[in-house]
């Protein structure tokens, strides 16, 4: 099989999604399949194919489209800056993906709703399309905004146009795919809420390359435990949605009861300085180590005693599975997909989301009971080894690929107007084909014939589908 794994986002800097794509590509390649990865390169602002010297310069195309998406003619694009930014970014992604080519693959596997919908729009022939839904885009955007506006409620956010836009993108992405892969029942329910038939949704939990994990874990740990103190650990992005601020609040409460611990927060992100300030305000600045990003988490976990995943929303983070494989029964927030990763009191612990007091209570219990940590940690390692292997994930994914390859990919039942060629749902007044625009504003531009050939003749910008 010739398989394309593609994401709208930055290819190698997306944490769990990058881990998922890399591991899956390596495993499929080892079985004789040809796998190509497509995504954005953040630093160079290009769309590219990994391990190939093939790039699409997004900057020039962005600059060409920008003046022709003005607010007077297309006011719906300018209701909020976020909407315009995402839509223009998607059009640039669509042009780049078409130029890089979609025709030579047996199956395309999109890693987010934006790329799934974008690829369906630009297909000139119906290549089977599988989409993984790794999270709930609209809810994730809410937590991003709440990080900037702490008092913002979900009800208030749902009244904003940006919420409706992200919900629409989730719907379009889900309905554009032939089949959908999800890692948890929770995210499956989110997809089902967009009107997707249950038989198109396949639950396949994430897996870890156990051999690679053991090799990494055998390397000397990058952490230096403090003598006489146990190590609490978190690994991930330092963003509001990850709930690290909840962990620090819990540590402040814990410090009032006992001081036989240190906490290592491994990762980078926009909230680093805010979290440092919070740690000082909570009186734990000397007990919390912000280590920066650690490339070898399996090795680091060998020096940890407790692992915490305090996310406000997370589907099934790899770090939780890695903690279980390290013999640590993790403490996870009881929200979204995380409770499906543990059996409370047996292979992990569940505390209410955003409840610092409950998290502090659980940490205190685990700190004072070595036998409990050892017993549940052993059960966690056994469960993860049996249920979270990369082999199991790959085989389940291949079954979905084979089913998608045998399906009729176009049109899909219930696909909204604008999700296929423009002829499916009509055109927006003033919409244009990018090649026609380039022919007028930049005669002789070498990109014009490329887009003329690569994009469907009835492909149009702006997209009527988001209306």
């Amino acid at each position: 099989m010739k398989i394309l794994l593609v994401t709208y986002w930055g290819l190698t800097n997306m944490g769990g999604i990058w881990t998922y794509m890399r591991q899956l590509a390596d495993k499929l390649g080892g079985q004789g399949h040809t796998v190509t990865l497509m995504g954005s390169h953040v630093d160079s602002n290009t769309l590219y194919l990994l391990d190939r010297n093939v790039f699409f310069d997004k900057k020039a195309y962005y600059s060409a489209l920008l003046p022709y998406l003005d607010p007077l003619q297309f006011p719906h694009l300018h209701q909020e800056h976020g909407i315009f930014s995402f839509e223009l970014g998607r059009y640039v992604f669509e042009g780049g993906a078409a130029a890089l080519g979609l025709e030579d693959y047996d199956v395309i596997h999109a890693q987010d709703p934006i790329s799934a919908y974008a690829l369906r729009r630009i297909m000139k022939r119906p290549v089977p399309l599988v989409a993984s839904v790794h999270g709930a885009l609209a809810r994730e955007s809410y937590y991003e905004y709440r990080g900037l506006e702490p008092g913002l409620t979900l009800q208030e956010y749902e009244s904003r146009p940006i919420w409706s836009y992200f919900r629409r993108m989730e719907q379009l992405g889900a309905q554009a795919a032939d089949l959908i892969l999800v890692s948890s029942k929770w995210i499956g329910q989110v997809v089902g809420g967009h009107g997707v038939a249950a038989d198109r949704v396949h639950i396949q939990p994430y897996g870890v390359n156990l051999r690679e994990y053991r090799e990494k874990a055998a390397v000397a740990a990058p952490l230096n435990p403090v003598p006489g103190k146990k190590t609490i650990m978190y690994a991930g992005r330092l963003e509001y949605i990850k709930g690290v601020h909840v962990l620090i609040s819990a540590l402040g409460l814990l410090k009032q009861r006992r001081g036989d611990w240190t906490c290592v927060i491994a990762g980078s992100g926009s909230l680093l300085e805010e979290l440092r300030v919070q740690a000082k305000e909570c009186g734990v600045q000397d007990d919390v180590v912000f280590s920066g990003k650690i490339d070898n988490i399996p090795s680091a976990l060998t020096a940890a005693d407790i692992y915490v995943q305090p996310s406000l929303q997370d589907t099934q983070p790899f770090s939780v599975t890695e903690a279980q494989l390290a013999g640590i029964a993790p403490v996870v927030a009881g929200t979204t997909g995380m409770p499906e990763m543990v059996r409370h009191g047996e292979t992990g612990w569940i505390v209410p989301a955003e409840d610092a007091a409950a998290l502090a209570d659980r940490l205190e219990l685990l700190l004072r009971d070595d036998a409990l940590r050892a017993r549940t940690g052993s059960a966690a390692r056994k469960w993860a080894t049996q249920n979270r292997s990369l082999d199991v994930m790959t085989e389940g994914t291949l079954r979905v690929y084979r089913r998608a390859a045998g399906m009729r990919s176009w049109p899909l039942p219930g696909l909204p107007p604008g999700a296929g060629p423009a002829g499916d749902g009509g055109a927006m007044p003033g919409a244009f084909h990018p090649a026609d625009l380039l022919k007028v504003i930049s005669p002789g531009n070498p990109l014009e014939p490329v887009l003329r050939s690569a994009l469907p003749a009835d492909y149009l910008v702006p997209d009527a589908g988001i209306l």
Side-chain angles (χ1 to χ4, degrees), residues 288-300:
V288 176
V289 177
F290 291 92
S291 67
K293 184 179 179 181
I294 295 177
D295 292 328
N296 191 339
I297 295 300
S299 175

Side-chain angles (χ1 to χ4, degrees), residues 257-390:
R257 307 174 198 175
R258 57 194 302 149
D260 59 339
W261 56 269
T262 58
C263 180
V264 175
I265 295 177
S268 59
S270 65
L271 294 186
L272 174 59
E273 292 308 316
E274 288 185 34
L275 294 171
R276 288 186 189 275
V277 171
Q278 183 190 3
K280 185 174 182 179
E281 291 173 345
C282 291
V284 295
Q285 69 272 23
D286 296 329
D287 306 284
V288 176
V289 177
F290 291 92
S291 67
K293 184 179 179 181
I294 295 177
D295 292 328
N296 191 339
I297 295 300
S299 175
L301 284 165
T302 64
D305 300 283
I306 298 170
Y307 183 82
V308 180
Q309 191 71 38
S311 306
L312 310 185
Q313 175 175 299
D314 235 328
T315 309
Q316 293 217 330
F318 278 99
S319 53
V320 170
T321 299
E322 290 176 325
Q324 291 173 316
L325 290 170
I328 301 172
V331 182
V332 304
T335 185
T336 57
M338 290 181 291
E340 298 177 44
M341 302 187 74
V342 303
R343 292 198 298 266
H344 182 70
E346 297 180 35
T347 63
W349 308 93
I350 302 170
V351 297
E354 302 188 73
D355 191 332
L359 177 54
D361 290 343
R362 180 57 56 189
L363 293 175
E364 183 181 17
L365 171 64
L366 293 174
L367 284 169
R368 71 168 181 251
D369 197 332
D370 295 347
L372 176 63
R373 291 200 320 277
R375 182 172 65 253
T376 54
S378 177
R381 178 188 285 118
K382 181 178 179 181
W383 182 86
T385 301
Q386 294 175 344
N387 295 279
R388 289 294 189 263
S389 77
L390 181 60

